[in-house]
Amino acid sequence: MGEPIRILCIDDEQNVLRSLKRLFLDDPYEVLTAPSGAEGLLILAQSGTVPVVISDYRMPGMNGVEFLSEVRKRWPGTVRIVLSGYADTGAIVSAINEGQIYRFVAKPWNDDELRITVANALERYDLGRKNLELTEELRRKNDELTALNRDLERRVVERTEALTTQNRLLTESLGILDNLPMAIVGMDPQGTVFQCNRKGMVCFGNRIGPVIGANRRDVLTDAQNRLVDEVLEKSREAGNGSASAADGMHQAVLERNPYTADCVILIVHEVPSGA
């Protein structure tokens, strides 16, 4: 079972406290009583959650306004109700302003009206509690979203730095490739040329025109294509592994990309005779 619904009644007259306890006998409340504000504060500090406090206005020592003002400071969610037998407009205004009172009920009270007032006060308490829970949930979600955004920003920075490094390495690699003393041509599995260094452009461009994007059958000589076909056949015989073959001034090498299993890179080397 959950925590009982507690109501604290404060009045220096015991007959009033007994009347209040009798009033709520048929309701699912645990009615706590105290004869003074000081004892009421002690009960609140020891009793756990108390959603509603009903206090007499005129009491010796700490009056109802002073008591409920202290309740508001220490337990702001508790709904506060004042009982008073004095038709004192100033007291009502003071109670409402200083203690932020939910309702001011005159003595003698109407039992049905007081029970309805308490039921409405409990509903107000529940709404306030749920509002706090939703606010806390929203704050937590906002914190999580902020953390996710920070993590995303960090990942973007890291990815950008990684791409920058890769682009720099690729540029350097292409520079090295262009400065090699042999012609190198890369082809995909369909035979489309996707890479050709400067030496390759000179060797093939003067003879067969543009190389990048062309099919190897159109840009390579018959002897070079036969050499590539030989390498492909060797690769198939070896279970789609790497392979190489040489024919005079030419050498063909097939290397499979370990990160993309269905992509085959073909590199054709054209080297001087006797090399």
Side-chain angles (χ1 to χ4, degrees), residues 238-251:
N240 287 329
S242 298
S244 64
D247 179 15
M249 293 177 60
H250 305 91
Q251 180 183 15

Side-chain angles (χ1 to χ4, degrees), residues 226-261:
R226 283 195 299 271
L227 196 61
V228 173
D229 290 337
E230 180 183 346
V231 168
L232 289 171
E233 182 62 28
K234 283 185 177 182
S235 174
R236 285 191 290 269
E237 292 175 355
N240 287 329
S242 298
S244 64
D247 179 15
M249 293 177 60
H250 305 91
Q251 180 183 15
V253 178
L254 184 153
E255 291 289 345
R256 290 191 175 271
N257 189 332
Y259 302 105
T260 311

Side-chain angles (χ1 to χ4, degrees), residues 3 45 55 68 73 137 158 218 224 242 256:
E3 194 173 15
S55 175
L68 293 176
K73 293 176 185 176
E137 177 69 13
E158 291 176 352
D218 299 325
Q224 291 167 341
S242 298
R256 290 191 175 271

Side-chain angles (χ1 to χ4, degrees), residues 34-172:
S36 67
E39 293 184 52
L41 293 175
L42 184 61
I43 290 174
L44 286 171
Q46 296 175 345
S47 299
T49 302
V50 179
V52 176
V53 171
I54 303 172
S55 175
D56 184 26
Y57 174 68
R58 297 277 183 171
M59 293 186 297
M62 181 184 295
N63 65 34
V65 172
E66 293 169 339
F67 166 69
L68 293 176
S69 296
E70 187 63 26
V71 171
R72 179 177 63 85
K73 293 176 185 176
R74 297 169 61 177
W75 300 278
T78 296
V79 182
R80 299 166 294 280
I81 299 173
V82 166
L83 290 177
S84 177
Y86 295 87
D88 186 347
T89 304
I92 296 174
V93 173
S94 176
I96 293 175
N97 291 340
E98 296 182 35
Q100 294 187 4
I101 308 306
Y102 171 65
R103 287 288 186 272
F104 192 101
V105 179
K107 292 180 180 179
W109 62 81
N110 178 285
D111 287 352
D112 291 335
E113 290 181 1
L114 183 55
R115 291 179 66 191
I116 291 173
T117 297
V118 170
N120 290 338
L122 288 168
E123 183 177 355
R124 179 187 179 93
Y125 174 84
D126 286 337
L127 288 174
R129 179 179 52 80
K130 290 177 181 178
N131 183 60
L132 288 176
E133 291 174 355
L134 290 173
T135 301
E136 176 60 23
E137 177 69 13
L138 179 60
R139 185 199 62 76
R140 187 169 67 253
K141 293 295 184 183
N142 285 337
D143 290 344
E144 292 175 359
L145 182 60
T146 299
L148 287 174
N149 285 336
R150 283 198 298 263
D151 184 63
L152 179 60
E153 291 173 357
R154 178 184 59 79
R155 289 173 180 266
V156 169
V157 170
E158 291 176 352
R159 183 58 178 165
T160 301
E161 292 175 350
L163 289 174
T164 300
T165 300
Q166 291 176 7
N167 287 335
R168 179 175 55 81
L169 293 175
L170 178 60
T171 301
E172 293 175 355

